[in-house]
Amino acid sequence: GESVGLHLPTLSVQEGDNSIINCAYSNSASDYFIWYKQESGKGPQFIIDIRSNMDKRQGQRVTVLLNKTVKHLSLQIAATQPGDSAVYFCAERLEKLTFGTGTRLTIIP
Amino acid sequence: DVKVTQSSRYLVKRTGEKVFLECVQDMDHENMFWYRQDPGLGLRLIYFSYDVKMKEKGDIPEGYSVSREKKERFSLILESASTNQTSMYLCASSWPQRGVDNEQFFGPGTRLTVL
C-alpha cells in the first residue's frame, strides 16, 4: 500500500515567494498530522499540527491544509526567507506516528 | 522549552565495538523513542518506551537494544556495531498519553559512522 511520503523530493523557491510542500498519507483512519522542519545537522522541529476534524490550521507564516478525501496534506509557507531552507516532512498518527521521507526546500536569494 | 539532549553529535566506531547512545529529556515525558534516519528512507523507529523499565520493539530493532532505568534517560545500545548501522540516530520524547503518540520533541541527533 501507500506510505507516508511527499510528491517532490526537492523544491526551490525565490525568496519572498510562497512555498507549498505536499504530502500523501497512507491511512484514512489517521487522526492527527504534524509537519516537522529539519535544518542541516539538527534534529526535526515541530512546525504545526492538525487534527483530522479540521481542514485548515494557521500559524505564523505557515498554513496546513488537510484533504481527507484524497488523503493529502500540504504545508504553505508565506513569504519565504533564507532561514526556511530545510527538509520538511509530515507525520500521520494511527496510534503511532509514521513519518514521511521529506522534501528539501531551498530558498533562492 | 522542552529539551532533549544526546550524548554525542558525532561518533566513529569500529566494527564489532559495543556502542552506547544516550538521550536525556528534561520535561518529565513518559514516552521516549529512538529512530535512525537514512537518506530516502525517512525516520525509522528502532525502539520506544512508555515508562521506566519498559521497552517495546519498533520497526527495525535487529542489532539494537535499549535501556530505560530512569524516566529522563533512554539509552540505545549497539551490541556489536556493523557498517550497516552507520546512520543518523535521533532520540525523541513526548507527552504521557499511553497507547497514542503525540507531538514528539527531538534531540539534535548523533551521526554514527562504523568503520
Side-chain angles (χ1 to χ4, degrees), chain A residues 62-84:
Chain A
V62 294
T63 301
V64 55
L65 298 177
L66 176 61
N67 185 332
K68 294 181 285 294
T69 303
V70 294
K71 294 189 291 184
H72 185 267
L73 196 65
S74 69
L75 176 71
Q76 300 178 1
I77 305 173
T80 53
Q81 304 167 357
D84 294 329

Side-chain angles (χ1 to χ4, degrees), chain A residues 22-102:
Chain A
N22 297 303
C23 177
Y25 63 92
S26 61
N27 201 310
S28 56
S30 292
D31 65 346
Y32 177 60
F33 304 88
I34 305 174
W35 278 102
Y36 283 94
K37 172 185 180 183
Q38 187 174 19
E39 296 177 85
S40 182
K42 296 183 179 180
Q45 289 179 286
F46 171 91
I47 302 173
I48 191 167
D49 59 3
I50 187 168
R51 300 197 181 277
S52 58
N53 60 354
M54 303 170 69
D55 298 321
K56 179 179 179 179
R57 189 158 189 231
Q58 287 185 290
Q60 191 174 10
R61 281 202 308 119
V62 294
T63 301
V64 55
L65 298 177
L66 176 61
N67 185 332
K68 294 181 285 294
T69 303
V70 294
K71 294 189 291 184
H72 185 267
L73 196 65
S74 69
L75 176 71
Q76 300 178 1
I77 305 173
T80 53
Q81 304 167 357
D84 294 329
S85 291
V87 172
Y88 292 82
F89 56 89
C90 65
E92 65 175 298
R93 182 181 74 185
L94 182 64
E95 293 188 0
K96 304 241 179 305
L97 284 178
T98 304
F99 297 88
T101 53

Side-chain angles (χ1 to χ4, degrees), chain B residues 59-95:
Chain B
D59 299 320
I60 51 163
E62 295 78 20
Y64 304 94
S65 62
V66 289
S67 173
R68 184 112 183 254
E69 295 297 318
K70 293 185 177 180
K71 191 174 186 178
E72 67 271 19
R73 189 179 296 269
F74 193 36
S75 303
L76 180 69
I77 304 154
L78 286 66
E79 294 290 341
S80 178
S82 62
T83 54
N84 63 13
Q85 292 179 308
T86 291
S87 186
M88 169 72 92
Y89 289 87
L90 289 163
C91 175
S93 69
S94 69
W95 302 110

Side-chain angles (χ1 to χ4, degrees), chain B:
Chain B
D1 276 354
V2 175
K3 195 163 184 186
V4 181
T5 57
Q6 295 183 228
S7 51
S8 305
R9 294 299 305 275
Y10 300 95
L11 213 51
V12 179
K13 295 291 181 181
R14 298 210 172 272
T15 301
E17 280 193 80
K18 191 168 186 176
V19 182
F20 292 87
L21 302 181
E22 305 285 343
C23 175
V24 177
Q25 50 91 6
D26 66 358
M27 277 299 291
D28 204 34
H29 287 170
E30 289 188 8
N31 305 341
M32 296 190 75
F33 308 83
W34 273 106
Y35 296 90
R36 62 178 285 175
Q37 184 178 35
D38 301 288
L41 296 178
L43 294 174
R44 292 183 291 167
L45 182 63
I46 304 172
Y47 267 96
F48 61 100
S49 169
Y50 285 151
D51 202 351
V52 175
K53 296 201 185 287
M54 176 271 180
K55 59 185 178 185
E56 286 197 35
K57 293 179 180 179
D59 299 320
I60 51 163
E62 295 78 20
Y64 304 94
S65 62
V66 289
S67 173
R68 184 112 183 254
E69 295 297 318
K70 293 185 177 180
K71 191 174 186 178
E72 67 271 19
R73 189 179 296 269
F74 193 36
S75 303
L76 180 69
I77 304 154
L78 286 66
E79 294 290 341
S80 178
S82 62
T83 54
N84 63 13
Q85 292 179 308
T86 291
S87 186
M88 169 72 92
Y89 289 87
L90 289 163
C91 175
S93 69
S94 69
W95 302 110
Q97 189 172 353
R98 297 277 175 90
V100 179
D101 283 353
N102 291 313
E103 174 199 345
Q104 293 182 15
F105 297 84
F106 286 87
T110 296
R111 186 165 291 283
L112 173 67
T113 302
V114 182
L115 302 175

